[in-house]
Amino acid sequence: MDITVGLLAESFAESMLLPSGYVSVLRFLVKQYLIERRTLMPHTAMLIGFYRETKEGGDEEEEQLAGTVEVCFDKRGANASPPTPTSPKDSPYICNMAVKKPLRRRGIGWHLLKASEELISLMNPSSDVYLHCRMIDEAPFNMYTRAGYKIVKTDSILILFTLQRRKHLMYKKLPASSSFLESDTLDSDREKAP
Ligand SMILES: CC(C)(COP(=O)(O)OP(=O)(O)OC[C@H]1O[C@@H](n2cnc3c(N)ncnc32)[C@H](O)[C@@H]1OP(=O)(O)O)[C@@H](O)C(=O)NCCC(=O)NCCS
């Protein structure tokens, strides 16, 4: 849990433009959050992705934690204080995705997204899945759009008065779980994406 906590704390500090001194405070808060969320399993799950590089001589480096994502499957796994615009509480929801900064742009976020969708489809065939994305975050917005997510609703400009960034609520209808087997490679997924 500690390395996942560290990764999420660094990612939150980055997105809130906080100085690195705040990371230890965030670590404490994220750890409390994850401990609480763990009691809601199997209505929610944290997925983690590992990365191992193969060097030129064929030697493999030790694997390292590369990314994480949280999936809520149903109403009982829903967050007690959901962000705006609110998503339907009983629909699956994806959140808290982060990839380690030096390992970005290698397809890890994409794999985490696809793994989340596959798991949701297995738990609940023919599901709708929701997620939030801040309007200023180009990287995840491109990834979600490419994966077929559409904007359902966007925060009103008045949200700026609460010192929050405006967010989009995005939605996708997942295919039946068998369709994932045909498209479990990055390239075939991307070819199918809009
Ligand atoms: C969003 C995030 C998880 C993406 O992870 P990643 O492993 O770098 O993403 P991938 O390499 O799988 O990229 C998948 C697609 O997303 C889009 N994308 C990713 N990073 C991008 C960037 N910096 N700029 C523009 N598009 C980007 C691209 O379409 C990319 O496909 P391509 O590389 O074939 O062009 C990562 O940038 C991150 O951790 N950001 C900080 C936390 C965050 O914003 N989380 C999302 C909260 S909504």
Side-chain angles (χ1 to χ4, degrees), residues 129-144:
V129 59
Y130 288 83
L131 50 82
H132 283 100
C133 183
R134 299 190 314 173
M135 284 175 78
I136 55 156
D137 289 340
E138 193 188 346
F141 184 75
N142 284 350
M143 181 170 72
Y144 299 142

Side-chain angles (χ1 to χ4, degrees), residues 4 9 76 85-86 134 143 145 150 154 165 176 183:
T4 311
R76 287 172 67 186
T86 47
R134 299 190 314 173
M143 181 170 72
T145 306
K150 302 266 183 286
T154 301
R165 300 280 190 180
S183 67

